[in-house]
Amino acid sequence: MAISDFDLVLFGGTGDLSMRKLLPALYARDRARDLPPEARIVCIGREDKTREDFLKLVEKDSRPHIPAANLDAAVWERFAARLRYASVNAKEGASFEHLKEALRDTAGLPRVFYLATPPSLFASICENLSKAGLVTPSSRVVLEKPLGRDLASARDINKQVGQYFEESQIFRIDHYLGKEAVQNLLALRFGNVLFEPLWRREWISDVQITIAEELGVGGRFDYYDTSGALRDMLQNHLLQLLCIVAMEPPVTNSADAVRDEKLKVLRSLKRFTPTTLAMNVVRGQYRSGHVNGTPVPGYRKEADANPESRTETYVAVKAEIDTWRWAGVPFYLRTGKRMADSLAEIVVRFKSVPHSIFAQQNSTLPNCLVIRLQPDEGLHMNLMAKQPGDGMRLRPVELELDFREKFKTPRMDAYERLLLDVLRGHLTLFMRSDELEAAWEWVEPILEHWEQQESDPIPYNAGTWGPAAASALIGRDGLQWREEALPEV
């Protein structure tokens, strides 16, 4: 679907996200000729800069994040010609006149306002856009996370932004939903008849969703220490992936049909009690250790760290969904920093065969479907097969679909896809306000429980898979995390 002409406004246009992700993504779509010839990108910052000074900043801070093989002098010149700069103070309505001057006064022209700013500025930006007469029926606003710190603040953001934009104009972005493998999960589930009869409690033992990072907090300690793994990763990315795995088939792939089914999943999550919280949630914090053979400091010894911080860098949760399809199937969610590997994956583990006719001890290892989101996107199916040679001896084998190898066409990164959907007005991959609030409703008891506790997070060595308590969490159900269960071949 072709994209109509637009003006895209990046609040936080000189910031890290814009320079590392958004501008390179827009360059990539310009290179693919997805952007209309006259489309403009207006970057907003607080400092007074000339357009020439801003272009030099883009050259220095953004261009290095574009793969060298994709850099083309003619494309870069065309892309740079789209860029404008305006100095705007989000809290001063008068300064929005500078933005107004940078935009085209064309009737019906879509204006997309991307708020890559702290959420504390969302309300004032939207209010001042409205007062300046820049919000029209064809306008859209993109909200970058974090979308609140708890249920009350999330509701406040929804209410404040909703004063100036209709729900159909609001795009709450979660970049994990733009990943190719997540799109393929939808295709796998709803484009094939093979898995649907098995996608239920009768055949699935458990589901594990993992987002692990080898990196620590780097220079982001001040931000991370006020957020933590639960707010930063689980409340949004992990719960969205859970919804796609567990949702019922939507009537169509339209935005509201898909989001209605995701909302049902969030509302079906079993609520925690003080007793179940203690049993089903693990909170950890990394201490010093080794990652890839390199010594790294503990969280409390990072640059500018609070030596008494109780912020979690790891969280593991056992979730349950009270529906006919999923009753009794545990969903294990975990995320952490300074882990043994950097990966994001969904593991759907099927039940063992009810009766093995083979004498071999490991002949009934369960089949697993692994959806790998990063670093290499693909699908893996673990099966049992006969080992070549005399006798009937089984061994695990893997059917593998590497998307990069199978499909030779150039691949879009998550922000490229999501930006295109914003420009086209497609809302399917973006959270609705009731989705956001339902996610916070489920997470908030965990936050309240931790605030009432006086204990510190459980320490774990950097370069490992987290606290031993996480293995105990899943072990109580007679199960193991995937890396613990991998057989020796």
Side-chain angles (χ1 to χ4, degrees):
M1 177 181 173
I3 296 172
S4 59
D5 195 12
F6 63 85
D7 278 353
L8 171 62
V9 180
L10 294 181
F11 285 88
T14 61
D16 185 62
L17 178 63
S18 293
M19 291 296 170
R20 285 192 308 110
K21 295 292 186 179
L22 302 181
L23 290 176
L26 290 164
Y27 168 85
R29 299 334 301 161
D30 198 354
R31 181 171 177 264
R33 296 203 173 272
D34 285 329
L35 305 188
E38 302 302 320
R40 287 186 183 180
I41 301 164
V42 182
C43 295
I44 303 299
R46 293 189 62 176
E47 296 181 5
D48 288 326
K49 290 182 187 295
T50 64
R51 182 167 180 270
E52 290 70 25
D53 287 340
F54 176 69
L55 291 177
K56 289 177 182 177
L57 180 68
V58 173
E59 185 87 24
K60 178 176 72 75
D61 289 352
S62 187
R63 182 166 172 155
H65 294 286
I66 299 170
N70 295 342
L71 280 170
D72 179 285
V75 176
W76 181 259
E77 183 178 352
R78 183 176 73 221
F79 178 69
R82 301 180 184 278
L83 300 180
R84 303 289 188 275
Y85 178 80
S87 173
V88 175
N89 185 326
K91 296 184 176 182
E92 293 181 3
S95 71
F96 278 69
E97 289 300 315
H98 300 155
L99 171 58
K100 198 170 185 177
E101 293 168 3
L103 298 174
R104 289 173 289 171
D105 188 16
T106 304
L109 180 71
R111 291 171 178 155
V112 177
F113 303 105
Y114 196 120
L115 276 52
T117 68
S120 58
L121 296 178
F122 289 176
S124 57
I125 290 174
C126 292
E127 180 183 4
N128 286 320
L129 286 171
S130 179
K131 287 181 176 179
L134 298 176
V135 178
T136 67
S138 60
S139 297
R140 298 157 203 161
V141 63
V142 184
L143 306 181
E144 186 61 64
K145 74 162 197 167
L147 294 173
R149 289 185 48 78
D150 50 26
L151 178 59
S153 57
R155 282 176 171 162
D156 196 37
I157 288 171
N158 284 338
K159 180 180 179 182
Q160 290 171 342
V161 176
Q163 292 181 61
Y164 308 103
F165 292 89
E166 299 293 330
E167 181 64 32
S168 61
Q169 297 175 290
I170 302 172
F171 293 71
R172 299 171 186 84
I173 200 163
D174 183 334
H175 73 273
Y176 265 80
L177 296 186
K179 290 182 177 292
E180 190 75 36
V182 175
Q183 310 297 295
N184 266 296
L185 176 57
L186 287 168
L188 178 80
R189 284 208 57 198
F190 305 126
N192 300 283
V193 72
L194 177 64
F195 288 105
E196 178 56 28
L198 306 178
W199 211 261
R200 59 192 64 248
R201 62 186 300 273
E202 289 84 359
W203 304 108
I204 290 178
S205 160
D206 62 285
V207 178
Q208 301 175 20
I209 305 177
T210 299
I211 301 177
E213 298 177 275
E214 291 180 338
L215 295 175
V217 294
R220 300 169 64 237
F221 188 91
D222 286 346
Y223 161 74
Y224 194 88
D225 204 50
T226 62
S227 174
L230 189 74
R231 290 184 174 98
D232 190 48
M233 299 295 288
L234 189 138
Q235 181 273 333
N236 40 70
H237 303 328
L238 285 162
L239 283 185
Q240 284 294 307
L241 295 176
L242 179 146
C243 286
I244 293 175
V245 172
M247 64 191 277
E248 293 297 319
V251 176
T252 68
N253 67 348
S254 66
D256 278 335
V258 172
R259 297 190 297 180
D260 284 346
E261 296 304 332
K262 287 163 61 185
L263 178 63
K264 290 177 186 177
V265 174
L266 291 168
R267 288 180 173 168
S268 299
L269 284 167
K270 186 179 289 187
R271 277 12 185 194
F272 290 113
T273 67
T275 301
T276 59
L277 269 169
M279 295 176 59
N280 296 325
V281 180
V282 174
R283 178 175 60 144
Q285 185 186 88
Y286 68 82
R287 58 189 174 195
S288 62
H290 290 77
V291 176
N292 291 325
T294 302
V296 295
Y299 179 74
R300 294 178 178 182
K301 294 184 178 179
E302 294 279 10
D304 301 319
N306 172 6
E308 298 180 354
S309 173
R310 294 170 57 199
T311 297
E312 80 285 355
T313 63
Y314 176 97
V315 61
V317 175
K318 176 185 174 182
E320 297 179 76
I321 301 172
D322 281 340
T323 64
W324 276 47
R325 183 186 291 266
W326 295 113
V329 178
F331 283 71
Y332 301 100
L333 315 179
R334 62 174 174 169
T335 184
K337 288 188 173 295
R338 289 293 190 211
M339 304 288 282
D341 197 2
S342 289
L343 62 85
E345 67 180 19
I346 301 165
V347 179
V348 179
R349 184 156 47 187
F350 295 90
K351 293 183 177 180
S352 297
V353 296
H355 171 70
S356 175
I357 65 172
F358 306 105
Q360 182 185 341
Q361 186 176 3
N362 70 343
S363 63
T364 60
L365 288 174
N367 303 136
C368 285
L369 175 66
V370 181
I371 301 105
R372 179 64 66 90
L373 308 178
Q374 64 183 39
D376 300 313
E377 297 180 343
L379 297 174
H380 307 263
M381 188 72 195
N382 301 119
L383 305 172
M384 299 299 292
K386 178 188 176 296
Q387 182 171 315
D390 187 29
M392 182 60 75
R393 183 172 180 81
L394 305 188
R395 64 176 290 176
V397 296
E398 189 173 84
L399 301 179
E400 180 177 351
L401 171 60
D402 185 314
F403 295 148
R404 195 175 299 276
E405 288 297 318
K406 182 64 178 178
F407 305 109
K408 302 296 185 181
T409 54
R411 303 173 64 73
M412 282 192 275
D413 102 334
Y415 274 107
E416 290 178 49
R417 176 176 290 103
L418 294 173
L419 282 165
L420 286 183
D421 277 0
V422 171
L423 296 173
R424 289 171 176 146
H426 292 176
L427 282 156
T428 304
L429 298 179
F430 300 85
M431 285 182 289
R432 208 165 54 192
S433 61
D434 49 6
E435 268 189 273
L436 175 66
E437 292 178 16
W440 276 116
E441 283 176 7
W442 186 73
V443 163
E444 192 161 65
I446 305 175
L447 294 169
E448 292 174 349
H449 178 69
W450 287 349
E451 288 172 1
Q452 293 166 6
Q453 285 185 321
E454 295 183 359
S455 59
D456 288 346
I458 302 169
Y460 64 94
N461 292 338
T464 68
W465 283 105
S471 295
L473 165 71
I474 193 171
R476 283 195 295 271
D477 295 328
L479 300 169
Q480 294 175 295
W481 295 107
R482 179 171 179 260
E483 72 279 354
E484 298 170 340
L486 288 174
E488 295 183 7
V489 180

